[in-house]
Amino acid sequence: MEMNFNQHISGQFNADLEAIRSHMMSMGGLVERQVANAIEAICNGDTRIADDVIRREDDVDKMEVAIDRECTQILVRRQPAASDLRMVLAVSRVVRDLERMGDEASKIAIHTLEVSDAKNPQLCQQAMRYMGTEVVKMIAGALDAFARHDVDGAIEVVRNDKLVDKQYASALRELITYMMEDPRSIGQAISILWILRAIERIGDHARNISEQVIYLVSGADVRHSSLTEIEEQAHKEAKE
Amino acid sequence: MEMNFNQHISGQFNADLEAIRSHMMSMGGLVERQVANAIEAICNGDTRIADDVIRREDDVDKMEVAIDRECTQILVRRQPAASDLRMVLAVSRVVRDLERMGDEASKIAIHTLEVSDAKNPQLCQQAMRYMGTEVVKMIAGALDAFARHDVDGAIEVVRNDKLVDKQYASALRELITYMMEDPRSIGQAISILWILRAIERIGDHARNISEQVIYLVSGADVRHSSLTEIEEQAHKEAKE
């Protein structure tokens, strides 16, 4: 009898863990679409899609609060240890990064509305499209790595974040040159500046999610580590 | 005997909770100084202080990782419930916001070095000084509210964050006007733009800490709530 009872408890526990993981993945899917749509809106000057992104931000926020509450309840009721505890903590950190990405997507959409009738619609188009496509792939890659406990996939995302940072720096230089040449476009250029910045921040959050994959698998906290340090830590076995 | 044993366990538990709380306050003190120094560096063009801020950022990062590890260990060993669990979760969220503030302080210091020989040292001086002084007070206020479980103090910080946001918007307008009038100063103006942005973000993080005070006291998650909603939630009693 007691064994059955324990099996029942442990079955329920696994179901709870599976639930937060799967809700996190759904939230991740929504945020990935929000970011992809925001990039499409700015690159095609599509204000209808931008409106849609702004409207859905609330859903992202609600998912964060709901999943975080589920995580707290598991901590209270199940008192998880070792890798189960790491899963709960990692999920609660990942949803925070997803929520911030949702925020950034919404900022991109708001600035899209500001520049929708701008004088030079081509300004930094290429950089935004390139960086945008890259960060959407990074979100998918980070979530995929989380789902599959795939540290190599996670490291790939960290590596791509460095590329996005470089593209960002080069796009900023292009933008500043343009502002100096055509001061009347400074209003538009500042909006583009915030958009580039938002895309770059989304890349940072995808990197943060990848760091949680490494925490999940190895137990190592690599949040302030360099790429080389992360690579060293990533393949160590978790101690417990 | 058993009672003594339990008292011992519970005494140790309280000591653990007190330790993370007190380490968080020390980290808060360091971050408050980092921000205050960064503001002083930019307002007085003091590159020596700026260098010092950049050098100390590493200490802030290390404190975050150490305190977060302590929090995880309490979750594993003590399995806290109710208000104790809220304390552990709140501390681990607060240290994340403190670390981000430290990052922003360091960004301000880096941009201070960029503009140290700028053409117009007065540009947005007043706004930076005013907003800077305000956010330093907000950090102190939020930490103080946390220490004293003071929801009214926390709400005051949320209210001040709205003022800082307004000052930020008005400083940005000033800056854009200046850029249009003197395009050769755009490089300097963009550095100032990032500094204003960093100060505004520090205010947001102080607000986040205040939201954790309300969570700590009432159990309510007010992260996506308006000021009015926060005021309503703040004085409800915690359910457990």
Side-chain angles (χ1 to χ4, degrees), chain A residues 85-138:
Chain A
L85 178 62
R86 284 204 299 278
M87 173 63 86
V88 177
L89 295 177
V91 166
S92 90
R93 289 170 192 156
V94 167
V95 296
R96 198 148 315 141
D97 280 297
L98 288 174
E99 187 271 328
R100 300 244 159 93
M101 285 178 178
D103 260 5
E104 300 294 346
S106 166
K107 283 182 208 163
I108 295 171
I110 290 167
H111 291 299
T112 298
L113 300 179
E114 284 170 10
V115 296
S116 62
D117 52 358
K119 272 188 7 178
N120 179 359
Q122 293 307 310
L123 182 57
C124 287
Q125 265 298 332
Q126 216 182 348
M128 288 192 290
R129 193 181 293 277
Y130 197 91
M131 286 170 63
T133 313
E134 198 57 41
V135 298
V136 172
K137 273 195 280 178
M138 284 168 67

Side-chain angles (χ1 to χ4, degrees), chain A residues 172 176 179-180 183 186 190 193-194, chain B residues 42 111-112 114-125 128 168 171-198:
Chain A
L172 279 194
I176 291 174
M179 287 161 93
M180 290 179 171
I186 282 176
I190 296 284
L193 184 84
W194 295 131
Chain B
I42 182 64
H111 291 299
T112 298
E114 284 170 9
V115 296
S116 63
D117 53 358
K119 273 190 359 176
N120 178 1
Q122 293 306 311
L123 182 56
C124 286
Q125 266 294 336
M128 287 191 292
Y168 170 68
L172 279 194
R173 281 192 298 273
E174 182 192 333
L175 200 57
I176 290 174
T177 309
Y178 178 80
M179 288 162 91
M180 288 179 174
E181 283 167 3
D182 184 4
R184 285 161 310 165
S185 301
I186 282 176
Q188 179 196 356
I190 296 284
S191 292
I192 304 282
L193 184 85
W194 296 131
I195 290 170
L196 290 168
R197 166 78 173 182

Side-chain angles (χ1 to χ4, degrees), chain A residues 66-80:
Chain A
I67 298 169
D68 211 40
R69 189 180 300 133
E70 284 181 273
C71 289
T72 309
Q73 282 172 350
I74 294 183
L75 290 177
V76 172
R77 294 191 191 145
R78 309 282 173 201
Q79 302 167 341

